[in-house]
Amino acid sequence: MITGIYPGSFDPVTFGHLDVIKRAAAMTDRLIVGVLKNNGKTPLFSTDERVNMLQEVTGDLSNVEVVSFSGLLVDFARENNVSVIVRGLRAVTDFEYELMMAQTNRVMEPSIDTIFLSTSLDYAYLSSSMVKEIATYGGDISKFVPSVTAKRIYDKINQN
Ligand code: PNS
């Protein structure tokens, strides 16, 4: 039984994240999508909102669970019998930080490995920050996030 975790901020989830989730879910028996609670950044969406948005768009994937976590990823992974951490790599600019995280996590918990999925070319440029910026200026984000998520982003931005 292989349990994987795909951790991140997901503020908000994009088609790039969804692509990684679907591919990782096909490779694991159980995939936990782990939403980090307090990472020093000030998120647009609360943790619960980010979890709910992810649940909305992964409801059709039977082996995927969305949960939030705080503290060290390796501690949360250990508590949930995770054997593999999944991260998406968009471009070479992601690589240095991702490699450093993977190596640090492996020193802290040698039994858990990190695997990297190269993001599909369609989403290689995509980031949550860019989606938020486009939405702030009233731009069309329908090519970047699911329609239910787009609605929540516009609603949130209009509230602020
Ligand atoms: O989507 P992000 O913001 O790039 O995700 C970063 C995340 C959540 C994977 C990373 O910040 C993380 O794992 N934080 C938990 C705290 C931790 O374990 N830090 C040590 C990692 S070397």
Side-chain angles (χ1 to χ4, degrees), residues 7-9 36 39 41 69 71-73 87 97 101 104-105 108:
S9 306
L36 182 65
N39 64 354
K41 302 177 197 168
F69 75 99
L72 285 179
L73 173 61
R87 292 284 287 172
Y97 170 66
M101 259 201 322
T104 310
N105 283 333
M108 291 192 285

Side-chain angles (χ1 to χ4, degrees), residues 32-64:
I32 299 170
V33 179
V35 180
L36 182 65
K37 271 186 195 157
N38 307 307
N39 64 354
K41 302 177 197 168
T42 308
L44 177 63
F45 291 97
S46 71
T47 310
D48 286 347
E49 287 170 332
R50 285 179 276 148
V51 168
N52 289 341
M53 284 192 288
L54 274 156
Q55 280 169 340
E56 243 169 12
V57 296
T58 58
D60 56 330
L61 302 168
S62 59
N63 63 336
V64 172

